[in-house]
Amino acid sequence: MTQNNVWFVTGASKGLGLALVQKLLSQGFSVAATSRNKDDLIAAVTVDTENFLPLQMDLVDELSIQKAISEVKERFRTIDVVVNNAGYGQLGAIEEISDMEVRNCFDVNVFGTINVIRAVLPIMRQQQSGHILNVASIAGFRAGNRNGIYAATKFAVDGLTESLAADGAPFGIKATCVLPGYFRTKFLSEGSLRLAENPLDAYKDDEFTKFLNGRDGAQMGDPNKAADVFIELSRAENPPVHLFLGNDAQVEFHKKMEDLNSQATAWKELSTSTDFEE
């Protein structure tokens, strides 16, 4: 079992990121944590210790990320575990969402994650160890109505993590994509979830709105228990490349697998009709 002492956590001022940072600090880990607003991060964490390095960082600015990584190296000399947690939800039918809204969501959820990975890989390659945990969503495995753009960003995160695990293996670098279900955070409110700026009447769905409002504050997942899972993953010698987090995520995983198996079987004859006849 490995012991990873220096963590770098993005999107740490609320939600799963905040719960993880607080749990890590309570257990004596060294933690560098980032947010778009450093003051908000410090106020949220409420821990004053030399083990905590709060950083203001812009995920879509590579120079900002490089500066943050340099500060971590200067304070803690290394980085053992990276948690790419920062991101936001974008809801709306695909037709409703503007080009700018799509690009902004990909900039943060996908390209921001990639920017961090590129910045930390040289450190991990040099030390021949490290673990990168990318937070996606169960929507990154089974998309639903009106979350196509958000789901697309999280599908991308899952795919790049799978490749990262293969790329990093020769250097002792591990990669895990965590796909949570609904956790009792403020993700469904306070700016973490955005709706289409120009909604269309054709897609107006009061039942969908009621579903979201009814879920907020009643999610099954406990963020503190999720934090325990992240720590356990970091200590595993052979962690999974994909981890479906929460009972609701497991349910959606099995539904998708049943659908895939059913469709693959039903359409096997057609799908295998494309080979040359030798």
Side-chain angles (χ1 to χ4, degrees), residues 13-242:
S13 62
K14 56 187 175 182
L16 293 179
L18 176 59
L20 176 60
V21 168
Q22 291 174 325
K23 181 68 63 87
L24 289 167
L25 291 173
S26 73
Q27 295 185 14
F29 291 93
S30 296
V31 182
T34 78
S35 176
R36 287 173 297 174
N37 187 304
K38 183 176 175 179
D39 291 336
D40 288 347
L41 174 61
I42 293 171
V45 173
T46 65
V47 175
D48 185 13
T49 170
E50 284 298 309
N51 288 346
F52 177 46
L53 176 62
L55 298 165
Q56 185 162 319
M57 190 182 80
D58 184 351
L59 277 174
V60 300
D61 182 344
E62 286 192 86
L63 291 179
S64 176
I65 292 171
Q66 290 167 4
K67 181 177 182 293
I69 296 299
S70 295
E71 290 185 50
V72 180
K73 284 187 67 179
E74 183 176 349
R75 170 74 72 87
F76 299 128
R77 307 185 75 175
T78 189
I79 299 175
D80 296 308
V81 184
V82 171
V83 180
N84 282 307
N85 172 69
Y88 69 91
Q90 175 67 64
L91 290 186
I94 292 171
E95 184 185 358
E96 292 180 300
I97 302 176
S98 69
D99 179 76
M100 184 60 68
E101 287 173 298
V102 173
R103 291 177 185 276
N104 287 343
C105 195
F106 270 85
D107 277 344
V108 173
N109 292 3
V110 180
F111 297 115
T113 295
I114 294 171
N115 288 340
V116 172
I117 291 170
R118 277 202 302 255
V120 300
L121 279 177
I123 299 170
M124 292 183 169
R125 277 194 296 105
Q126 184 177 20
Q127 67 195 21
Q128 294 286 292
S129 67
H131 195 168
I132 299 174
L133 297 108
N134 296 323
V135 180
S137 165
I138 188 56
F141 183 74
R142 188 170 192 253
N145 75 308
R146 299 186 68 182
N147 75 350
I149 299 306
Y150 175 65
T153 67
K154 295 306 186 179
F155 267 83
V157 169
D158 192 41
L160 72 89
T161 305
E162 192 168 302
S163 182
L164 177 63
D167 289 346
F171 308 104
I173 302 169
K174 303 163 186 174
T176 299
C177 184
V178 180
L179 300 98
Y182 285 97
F183 276 76
R184 201 166 299 177
T185 68
K186 296 178 180 179
F187 183 78
L188 296 179
S189 57
E190 296 194 11
S192 293
L193 190 66
R194 303 179 188 179
L195 302 177
E197 292 180 359
N198 298 297
L200 300 173
D201 288 341
Y203 292 102
K204 186 176 181 181
D205 187 346
D206 291 335
E207 291 303 314
F208 182 75
T209 302
K210 289 178 183 177
F211 168 79
L212 287 180
N213 292 339
R215 224 16 119 79
D216 194 15
Q219 300 94 325
M220 292 175 61
D222 182 339
N224 290 309
K225 291 182 178 179
D228 290 331
V229 170
F230 278 86
I231 294 171
E232 186 171 344
L233 283 172
S234 76
R235 291 172 169 158
E237 292 292 344
N238 296 295
V241 176
H242 313 273

